[in-house]
Amino acid sequence: MGGPELENLIAQFARLPGLGPRSARRIVLKLLTERDTRLLPLADALRQASAAVRSCSICGNLDTQDPCTICADHSRENRICVVEGVADLWALERAHVYRGGYHVLGGTLSAIAGRGPEDLAIAPLLARVEREHPEEIILALPATVDGAATAHVLTDRLKPFSLPVSRLAQGVPMGGTLEVLDEGTLATALRARSPA
Amino acid sequence: MGGPELENLIAQFARLPGLGPRSARRIVLKLLTERDTRLLPLADALRQASAAVRSCSICGNLDTQDPCTICADHSRENRICVVEGVADLWALERAHVYRGGYHVLGGTLSAIAGRGPEDLAIAPLLARVEREHPEEIILALPATVDGAATAHVLTDRLKPFSLPVSRLAQGVPMGGTLEVLDEGTLATALRARSPA
């Protein structure tokens, strides 16, 4: 339908996370029918972001400045929160509960995906700890088998520095109905129960 | 987070149909972490499609050629299927059940949105009918109040040409469980029942 340029554009959108052929087609139609107000601004925004955004050489965050806004902010607490990816860093920032620094690992250890410690930003983290002497390391890794394995390895590597290493609490999420939760979450929440 | 270029790119994606701030952020992160294989090809595809794709001057379809591939195909039947938008045209083509031409109205009549007959491609449709003498007009409009009103007006305007005007059947969709269907669909399906 509609020539190779159109097919290619739909295919590019269909590859994006959360989108498929159907939603991609819908988006492309919308863009093409509103070329000046949607398509061209989007194309410009892509070019500009591509030219401006880089990885922070300290923590791995994406920003238009290096060091990133967070690393450059010396009013922040001297703690390091270790996250799997930039999306997690942004999610924590949106929660407005943490005022320290971050470190983006770039993944978790995974036997299936063949990712070992050398594939993650673990060595740069240890170098930072040696250089910055943080008050605390917070492991904010996913509550999965791979996340737990990664946390275990990190805890081990951080032992020589004898500094507090903590991890996020696990339990029932806010607004969560018990009946839709998996057994693992329920078991953890029950074991970690606190006085009411 | 991350500077104005990043914020702008996320905002552009969040405005697309079916996307919001959360999915837009996820997409932008993916694009930025795979700049050469995702972001730049997408930006190129947008530019190329924008330059190549135009509205067919006969039927209103979007294509890289004018008349579009469908209008230029003289092996197709001399019928006109009237649709609300290009998305509907593409959906019908994907069903591979119709081998005639199309006419994109560009909307339905709507008292609320203030769209009258002169805002839709009704006059071009009547001109086509006079010029092309189609064997049939199929009204493939949405099964909504506005769609029905539009079909009614079109039927009225097409009367002078005394040619067959039909509309799509209404009923239970394929794979549809009765309990999730609205009363209107059930009532229509029951009234239009056929021998088993």
Side-chain angles (χ1 to χ4, degrees):
Chain A
M1 282 304 315
E5 290 88 350
L6 211 49
E7 292 294 347
N8 178 33
L9 184 57
I10 294 170
Q12 292 293 337
F13 271 103
R15 290 174 58 216
L16 296 177
L19 298 183
R22 190 176 285 259
S23 45
R25 225 177 282 120
R26 209 166 132 228
I27 287 172
V28 166
L29 274 176
K30 191 73 176 178
L31 287 172
L32 285 169
T33 50
E34 295 178 39
R35 200 173 300 213
D36 293 341
T37 55
R38 283 180 188 262
L39 192 149
L40 297 179
L42 177 61
D44 287 344
L46 279 166
R47 290 265 167 226
Q48 284 163 12
S50 169
V53 176
R54 64 210 72 233
S55 270
C56 174
S57 54
I58 298 174
C59 76
N61 186 15
L62 288 169
D63 202 331
T64 45
Q65 60 180 73
D66 181 18
C68 74
T69 321
I70 295 172
C71 287
D73 181 354
H74 295 293
S75 76
R76 293 184 77 116
E77 295 171 10
N78 189 19
R79 295 172 205 274
I80 297 177
C81 178
V82 180
V83 291
E84 181 182 17
V86 178
D88 306 321
L89 188 165
W90 290 7
L92 282 164
E93 279 297 288
R94 282 198 304 281
H96 296 293
V97 286
Y98 175 68
R99 286 281 305 159
Y102 293 92
H103 191 83
V104 178
L105 274 190
T108 49
L109 298 174
S110 166
I112 292 168
R115 263 195 313 275
E118 63 292 338
D119 298 314
L120 306 181
I122 295 180
L125 173 64
L126 301 178
R128 270 185 80 181
V129 170
E130 201 153 310
R131 197 170 63 238
E132 299 178 12
H133 302 290
E135 291 167 32
E136 182 188 6
I137 302 280
I138 302 164
L139 303 177
L141 295 169
T144 59
V145 172
D146 286 345
T150 311
H152 186 79
V153 167
L154 285 177
T155 311
D156 201 58
R157 302 270 179 108
L158 288 165
K159 254 191 198 121
F161 300 97
S162 56
L163 83 176
V165 179
S166 62
R167 57 175 76 192
L168 296 187
Q170 281 186 272
V172 178
M174 280 253 277
T177 330
L178 293 196
E179 62 174 357
V180 301
L181 287 176
D182 60 294
E183 296 78 13
T185 302
L186 285 174
T188 313
L190 191 69
R191 273 199 302 270
R193 67 190 179 277
S194 58
Chain B
M1 280 306 313
E5 291 88 351
L6 212 49
E7 292 293 348
N8 178 33
L9 183 57
I10 294 170
Q12 293 293 336
F13 271 103
R15 292 174 57 216
L16 296 177
L19 299 183
R22 189 177 285 259
S23 45
R25 225 177 282 119
R26 209 167 132 226
I27 286 171
V28 165
L29 274 176
K30 191 75 177 176
L31 287 171
L32 285 169
T33 48
E34 295 179 39
R35 201 173 300 212
D36 293 341
T37 54
R38 285 181 187 261
L39 192 150
L40 297 179
L42 177 61
D44 287 343
L46 280 167
R47 290 265 168 226
Q48 283 163 13
S50 168
V53 176
R54 62 209 74 231
S55 270
C56 173
S57 55
I58 298 175
C59 75
N61 187 16
L62 287 170
D63 202 332
T64 45
Q65 60 179 71
D66 181 19
C68 74
T69 320
I70 295 173
C71 286
D73 180 354
H74 295 294
S75 75
R76 292 183 78 113
E77 296 171 10
N78 189 20
R79 294 172 206 274
I80 298 177
C81 178
V82 180
V83 291
E84 182 182 16
V86 177
D88 307 320
L89 188 165
W90 290 6
L92 282 164
E93 280 296 289
R94 282 198 304 280
H96 295 294
V97 287
Y98 175 68
R99 287 281 304 159
Y102 292 92
H103 192 82
V104 177
L105 274 190
T108 49
L109 299 173
S110 166
I112 292 168
R115 263 195 314 276
E118 63 292 337
D119 298 313
L120 306 180
I122 295 181
L125 173 64
L126 301 177
R128 271 184 80 180
V129 170
E130 200 154 309
R131 196 170 64 237
E132 300 177 11
H133 302 291
E135 293 166 29
E136 183 188 5
I137 302 281
I138 301 163
L139 303 177
L141 296 170
T144 59
V145 173
D146 287 345
T150 311
H152 186 80
V153 167
L154 285 177
T155 310
D156 202 58
R157 301 270 178 108
L158 287 165
K159 255 194 198 119
F161 300 98
S162 55
L163 84 175
V165 179
S166 61
R167 59 175 77 190
L168 297 186
Q170 281 185 272
V172 178
M174 281 251 278
T177 331
L178 293 197
E179 63 175 357
V180 300
L181 287 175
D182 59 294
E183 297 79 13
T185 301
L186 285 175
T188 312
L190 191 69
R191 272 199 303 270
R193 67 189 178 278
S194 57

